Amino acid sequence: MMQQNVAVSDTKSRIKRYNRRVSKNLEINGEQRINSLVDSMRASSPTHAKSSNSLAEEQYTSWIVRKPFLIIINYSIFVQIVVDMKLIYIYIYICSFVKQLRHPSALDMFEQIVDASQGKQIVMFLDYDGTLSPIVNDPDRAFMSHSMRKTVRKLAKCFPTAIVTGRSIDKVYNFVRLTELYYAGSHGMDIKGPSKSFKFNKDKKSEEVLFQPANSEFIPMIAEVYQKLVEKTKSIAGAMVENNKFCASVHFRCVDEKKWSELAQKVRSVLKEYPRLHLTQGRKVLEIRPTIKWDKGMALQFLLESFGFANSTDVFPIYIGDDKTDEDAFKKLIDRGQGIGILVSKFPKDTSASYSLKEPNEASIIS
Ligand SMILES: O=P(O)(O)OC[C@H]1O[C@H](O[C@H]2O[C@H](CO)[C@@H](O)[C@H](O)[C@H]2O)[C@H](O)[C@@H](O)[C@@H]1O
């Protein structure tokens, strides 16, 4: 009997120890997940994402700052510095040259792009934020310039043209205000065609083409999550939440970096209750979306198919975008072996796009 009691209490204490270990692991895992989310929030913010170029420039600057002290210490070290500086110069030069080779400016390559599209039907895909409009602190004030609107209108007269955005269609339409375009909102999960008769519509139907790959039950789910996120994050100065119909965005552009971890924790705590939603990241924004296999690349594919170019070799799709989510579309073009992807970015980035533009204004020049 005595032995049995000892065995039971032994087992109990082993179970307790086990539970303690498990819950400690869970805490560590939870903490690790938040830490890695905050790390990637930092990494995806341009001021933190050091390119090889900017790193070299930074090293170069720090050499300059230290230089006078080193001269006094030793002339031979000074000579060494001059040699090193030259090497750094050469390194910076090679980096920018290689970058140009990998992602030449779409402006410099304009003629080649035009040549490559000869005899083919150009189809234009345009991201909105950071591509047609400059990035601003307040997402509700990301206005498109009049000249950009004019350019997009002209484009749509010549080619089928679609806006592919993380925003809801209603929001992006309020900025763009062009009825002749196709709109793929909520990262391509809500696709609508022009609301009036449109010559590129193969069957010449005048009604809107509509495709929503995600189940419509996600709409109330996102609305609920949006409300919870607004409530949870209201104590964090600068945090903004947007309901984008099939997805929600939590902006941290105006949040003090010291608060990023707290914000990430709050977002994770809301998402815990929604296993059918997951988190992705854009430019200083956390995006919550349905766990379905759909992205901007698949939206591009869907639109090309609806234009009748499923297996056509006579099509030349051009996709212009600035964000991580646009990479799926760039990759799709590579898979199809057609057209070109153009990345809008001031900084060198790893991308599947073939060309680059420095800012939204340049996108209007090429169009
Ligand atoms: O696919 P996109 O059209 O690029 O949409 C992605 C997100 O764009 C918007 O946020 C971005 O632009 C804001 C205004 O310039 C800026 O404040 C924010 O930091 C950027 O991430 C939009 O507000 C989000 O809902 C979209 O998810």
Side-chain angles (χ1 to χ4, degrees):
M1 185 66 169
M2 180 78 157
Q3 254 181 349
Q4 238 179 20
N5 280 346
V6 171
V8 168
S9 81
D10 245 21
T11 316
K12 272 187 183 164
S13 63
R14 245 182 281 139
I15 291 172
K16 263 190 195 159
R17 275 202 304 275
Y18 173 78
N19 282 344
R20 263 202 303 270
R21 231 182 309 139
V22 169
S23 65
K24 185 129 199 211
N25 280 347
L26 281 177
E27 262 169 43
I28 292 172
N29 280 343
E31 209 172 294
Q32 272 172 353
R33 285 182 77 197
I34 297 296
N35 286 346
S36 68
L37 178 59
V38 175
D39 281 349
S40 84
M41 284 158 82
R42 287 204 184 98
S44 65
S45 311
T47 43
H48 295 279
K50 295 278 182 245
S51 64
S52 49
N53 262 356
S54 58
L55 194 64
E57 275 156 18
E58 198 173 79
Q59 282 164 354
Y60 166 72
T61 319
S62 64
W63 271 113
I64 304 256
V65 174
R66 279 184 273 157
K67 198 174 79 175
F69 301 102
L70 293 169
I71 295 168
I72 299 163
I73 296 166
N74 193 323
Y75 177 74
S76 69
I77 294 179
F78 173 69
V79 173
Q80 187 58 47
I81 291 167
V82 174
V83 172
D84 283 349
M85 274 171 57
K86 266 193 190 157
L87 286 178
I88 289 169
Y89 261 133
I90 293 169
Y91 175 66
I92 292 172
Y93 180 76
I94 292 175
C95 279
S96 66
F97 184 65
V98 169
K99 193 199 130 215
Q100 269 178 22
L101 281 184
R102 279 184 62 212
H103 308 119
S105 161
L107 293 178
D108 298 342
M109 306 300 286
F110 189 64
E111 275 173 32
Q112 279 94 320
I113 296 174
V114 172
D115 282 352
S117 67
Q118 285 302 320
K120 298 186 176 166
Q121 172 67 62
I122 291 180
V123 181
M124 290 299 304
F125 295 94
L126 304 163
D127 166 55
Y128 185 73
D129 291 278
T131 300
L132 296 183
S133 69
I135 292 290
V136 292
N137 283 344
D138 181 355
D140 292 337
R141 303 192 61 79
F143 302 114
M144 182 181 178
S145 67
H146 291 305
S147 70
M148 183 66 88
R149 184 172 297 101
K150 253 176 148 172
T151 307
V152 177
R153 183 178 284 127
K154 270 194 222 155
L155 269 182
K157 277 200 179 120
C158 306
F159 320 115
T161 301
I163 305 283
V164 187
T165 175
R167 290 184 186 258
S168 65
I169 291 186
D170 290 351
K171 277 191 192 172
V172 83
Y173 182 79
N174 274 335
F175 287 126
V176 179
R177 297 216 157 270
L178 294 172
T179 49
E180 53 270 58
L181 304 180
Y182 287 81
Y183 288 90
S186 308
H187 292 288
M189 283 181 276
D190 191 13
I191 304 181
K192 285 185 180 162
S195 51
K196 60 181 184 190
S197 185
F198 191 57
K199 64 177 170 172
F200 296 112
N201 237 338
K202 275 250 148 169
D203 48 8
K204 302 255 192 287
K205 275 187 192 157
S206 58
E207 71 263 32
E208 291 184 349
V209 180
L210 184 79
F211 186 58
Q212 296 178 337
N215 197 311
S216 60
E217 73 195 42
F218 280 109
I219 301 173
M221 192 188 288
I222 289 289
E224 193 179 287
V225 167
Y226 164 77
Q227 285 303 340
K228 288 188 184 174
L229 287 169
V230 169
E231 193 52 37
K232 275 254 174 186
T233 61
K234 69 179 179 205
S235 56
I236 300 186
M240 272 175 273
V241 190
E242 266 185 291
N243 180 345
N244 281 326
K245 193 170 176 182
F246 281 98
C247 22
S249 297
V250 180
H251 292 273
F252 57 93
R253 182 168 295 278
C254 300
V255 174
D256 184 340
E257 197 173 324
K258 290 187 205 95
K259 293 276 182 183
W260 287 7
S261 164
E262 190 185 333
L263 181 70
Q265 250 158 357
K266 285 181 186 282
V267 173
R268 279 252 182 253
S269 74
V270 171
L271 271 194
K272 234 172 29 195
E273 298 159 39
Y274 297 90
R276 294 173 68 206
L277 299 178
H278 76 289
L279 200 58
T280 58
Q281 250 183 268
R283 295 177 72 172
K284 301 231 169 134
V285 67
L286 298 173
E287 286 162 336
I288 291 107
R289 43 165 127 181
T291 308
I292 61 159
K293 210 173 162 342
W294 194 262
D295 53 39
K296 287 184 173 183
M298 295 171 95
L300 174 145
Q301 177 77 12
F302 171 84
L303 281 165
L304 285 177
E305 280 170 19
S306 11
F307 299 147
F309 300 123
N311 302 307
S312 167
T313 50
D314 293 337
V315 61
F316 194 85
I318 300 180
Y319 188 104
I320 313 184
D322 73 313
D323 210 345
K324 261 190 205 159
T325 53
D326 300 308
E327 291 295 327
D328 296 315
F330 298 147
K331 283 188 201 125
K332 182 61 77 184
L333 294 179
I334 294 177
D335 291 350
R336 287 180 63 102
Q338 284 175 332
I340 52 161
I342 302 177
L343 175 76
V344 183
S345 174
K346 283 198 178 99
F347 305 94
K349 273 185 193 169
D350 257 352
T351 178
S352 299
S354 346
Y355 298 96
S356 66
L357 290 171
K358 286 211 171 69
E359 47 192 84
N361 270 349
E362 290 190 344
S364 100
I365 298 168
I366 191 158
S367 324

